[in-house]
Structures are given as C-alpha cells and as structure tokens.
Amino acid sequence: LVGSEMCIRDRAQTARPVPGPVVPPPQYRAAVEAGTRSVDGRPGPAYWQNRAQYRLDASLDPADGRVTGTVLIRYENRSPQALEELVLHLHQNLHAAGVRRNEPQEVTGGVELREVRVDGGALELLAQDGPPRAGYRVDGTLLRIGLDRPVPANGVVEVEVAWTQLLPQNGAGRMGHSRREMYFVAYWFPKMAVYDDLRGWDAEPYLGGAEFYDGFADYEASLTVPGGWTVMGTGDLLNPQEVFTAGTLQRLAAAATADTVVTVARVNELAAGTVTVPGESLTYRFRATSVRDFTWTASNAQQWDATSARVGDGNGDGAPDRVAIHAFWRPERAPLWRDQARYGKHAIEHHSRYTGFAYPWPHMTSVEGGEIIGGGMEFPMLTLIGDYRDRTPQDLYNVTSHEPVSYTH
C-alpha cells in the first residue's frame, strides 16, 4: 500500500501540465466574425486571396552580374476593401547602402528604379517625409505606391517597373554567383506584397535570413543571357527549339522518360558551343502558374544531368506521371554531385508515394552553388545546394530530400 501511494505521488509530481486554452489574436477573431476564417483554421465561406500575373523581361550580364529588367504586373483586388496604396518588395535593396539588415551584407547599390507606372501613367519619386499623394516612395526594401484613384473591390490595376541592379556574390547565403560562371538569381524582381484579411498589407522589410510570406501568382519570363549559357527557371521552358541544338534536344527527350541518368551537357561541350544554338545572345522563355515565386539559374560551366521521376497519377489517366529531374554541377568543385540527379529522382518518388501527394510541378532542379551556400535553400522547382566537398553522400542526399518538401509536401 505504501509503495502504491508513492507511485501515485510520483506520477502526480511528474504529470505533464495541462496547457492553457489557445486564444486567437484579435485579427484572427475579427476574421472569423467576418467569415473569412474559421475557428478550426480552415478558410471561411467569405475567404479571398488577391492575385497577380507577372510578365518579366530581363537580361543578365555575367561579366559584372548586372540584371536589367522590366516587369508588368496585373494585380487583382479580390478583397472587399478599396486599396489606396500598393506595396511591393525590392528584396535586393538588402544590399543598398544604409538599409537596415540583421547582419552585414555585401553592398552593391541595391535596386535602381528607372521608371514606375500605374495603369500606363508615369509616377514621380516622392520624398520620404512628404505628405501622402500619388507617386512612389522607396522605404528600405519596400516600394510604396500612392494612387490617384483607389483600386476598388474586385478591381484590377496594372503596375509597370523598369529597374537594374548588380547581383551580390552572396545574397544572405541564398542567391548570388560563383566565379561569375554560374548564377542563381533569386529575390530579384519587384514583387507584390501580400494583402490579406488579417492585417491588410504585409509590409515587412526584408532584413536577411528570413522566410517569406508570398502570394500565389502566374509568371511569364523572358531571360536573355550570352550565347553558350544554359538557363533553367521555375515553370515550363516554352522555346527549347530556339535555344538548344538538336543533340541537346534529343538528350532531353530521352531523359524525360528515363529511369537512368542522361548527361545532357558536359563542360567540354559547353566550351565547344555544341549545347546551345549559335548566337551572341539567347532568350529563354518560361511560364509558371500558381506558384509563390520565380527563380532561375544560368551557367556556362556546369555539367547538366537529367532523368525523370515517377509520381502519382495527377491527370487521372490511370498511368503514373513523370516529372523531369535536373542537376547542374561542376565536377571539379563537387565530385559528390555525380549522383545528384539520382538522389533527386529518389527523393521526389519517395515523397510522392509515401505522403500521398504527387509532386505537382513539371521539374525539380538541383543547382550546385559552391561559394554561395553551404546547405540548401528551396524555391519553386529549383533548389540551391552547396558543393558538399567535405561532406558525405548521405549528407548530400539528406539535404536533397529535405528541400523540395518545403515547397511541395
């Protein structure tokens, strides 16, 4: 009896405390009352999301890392409120002089805005401390646009921005270039901030080393690089016949249905000019729908391996769908990457099978970014991963398996 009493007392002393009730913040309680959210976390009957379509046209000069571009954004205000201002992100202003950031960063000058237009009308740059009126202000990594006429509920506005910027060698460990022979271009264009039913504009500055709250959008991008450079971006490549030689196209076609790895381009073939069609420059065109971001990579020195992964029956035809698996890497820098396409294939097939959610995108691309990153960073359909020179094959597989899950599973 004494022993039983001691056991009961010990269990009472070590019992886990009962957590207190979860009290939603005021914004969430207001959204539940308005019908846009529910108490169990699901969207409410009146839930809405604003939507954007982007048309990007940009060029990269690898000699100095300058990106020059224009973007046309069609922004749909599906909220019940009229919008008196628009807020966009200028993430590359993390690298502007005097901008707040969490840790030191390379100073490149940030984003140079050449023109800002709304519905075809040019806007003027306003002083930071001036009264609110039509025009635009740059506040660190935020671009704030005051409007002559508010965008009504269920209305549409078009924003055009022309800009240029120098890419850093290492942008917060998540984008940049290595020896100016490979570029991973992320956080690179003027992008709409999220306007939601909880806080309105999510006008949080980018301070480096942070995750992002992004809205879903559709993208069309035309990316111009020097001749001989390969490019891979978020979405489908629309014009492979305009940029690749017949031999490259044949290898890509073989990889699209292969369960083994096909080498699409070797480093010596890039140097010999047999991978891409002749010309001083090449323009790659991509389209992506319902994604949170658009990212791309370019190189004239990376081997390109490819295969395909069998995923679930996404289109309902009774047969497993296949998605392309790509790996861009430098053999002399990253010897472990000789198996990277195989790792990517295994990871996508494994997660598609055992999570019950088939990988939904047309490709998954791994990009070796020695000197930019040590681990990995995921983006829609592309992952930047370090060279893993002093690591094990298991380490490289682990990061390969982890990163796509962040965007798809």
Side-chain angles (χ1 to χ4, degrees), residues 4-240:
S4 298
E5 291 176 349
M6 291 178 64
C7 288
I8 294 171
R9 186 169 61 252
D10 289 344
R11 282 199 299 269
Q13 291 174 346
T14 60
R16 296 178 63 183
V18 177
V22 176
V23 180
Q27 298 96 326
Y28 196 89
R29 296 199 298 270
V32 171
E33 294 176 4
T36 58
R37 307 285 174 133
S38 60
V39 293
D40 62 3
R42 289 178 295 180
Y47 183 71
W48 51 266
Q49 288 184 4
N50 287 355
R51 190 80 177 191
Q53 293 89 41
Y54 292 82
R55 187 181 302 162
L56 289 154
D57 192 335
S59 63
L60 168 67
D61 182 354
D64 62 359
R66 180 167 294 280
V67 168
T68 301
T70 61
V71 61
L72 172 63
I73 307 170
R74 185 179 187 273
Y75 187 70
E76 301 175 15
N77 178 22
R78 299 180 179 181
S79 80
Q81 298 93 25
L83 304 180
E84 296 184 353
E85 74 164 346
L86 303 173
V87 181
L88 289 79
H89 292 289
L90 302 175
H91 292 118
Q92 286 300 308
N93 268 357
L94 177 71
H95 302 279
V99 170
R100 286 188 300 139
R101 40 190 166 252
N102 286 335
E103 57 187 10
Q105 298 287 344
E106 178 184 348
V107 175
T108 65
V111 180
E112 177 189 334
L113 296 177
R114 293 180 167 177
E115 189 173 50
V116 179
R117 290 179 172 269
V118 170
D119 288 334
L123 300 182
E124 64 174 311
L125 175 63
L126 304 177
Q128 279 284 27
D129 54 355
R133 61 188 180 93
Y136 69 93
R137 291 181 172 87
V138 177
D139 180 11
T141 61
L142 297 174
L143 169 62
R144 295 182 177 272
I145 298 177
L147 301 172
D148 267 334
R149 296 183 302 276
V151 184
N154 298 313
V156 175
V157 64
E158 287 193 345
V159 180
E160 298 173 75
V161 182
W163 85 99
T164 186
Q165 63 203 12
L166 286 174
L167 298 179
Q169 189 280 312
N170 183 320
R174 295 178 170 187
M175 54 79 60
H177 69 84
S178 176
R179 304 180 183 178
R180 301 207 181 278
E181 64 186 15
M182 69 78 56
Y183 281 80
F184 194 88
V185 188
Y187 314 143
W188 63 284
F189 60 93
K191 184 178 186 183
M192 296 299 305
V194 172
Y195 185 88
D196 67 17
D197 59 317
L198 299 180
R199 298 193 302 164
W201 287 111
D202 183 61
E204 295 291 334
Y206 175 43
L207 304 178
E211 301 301 329
F212 294 92
Y213 180 25
D214 293 318
F216 288 95
D218 302 330
Y219 293 88
E220 289 191 4
S222 296
L223 308 171
T224 300
V225 295
W229 282 65
T230 58
V231 172
M232 184 59 69
T234 300
D236 290 302
L237 177 63
L238 302 180
N239 63 331

Side-chain angles (χ1 to χ4, degrees), residues 321-358:
D321 297 326
R322 285 184 182 263
V323 299
I325 304 295
H326 301 288
F328 292 86
W329 61 291
R330 292 169 291 182
E332 81 285 359
R333 285 295 307 270
L336 287 183
W337 276 66
R338 62 183 177 273
D339 292 319
Q340 179 62 14
R342 188 165 59 87
Y343 294 163
K345 171 183 171 65
H346 182 274
I348 292 300
E349 290 181 341
H350 177 276
H351 298 322
S352 295
R353 178 178 180 181
Y354 290 105
T355 65
F357 295 95

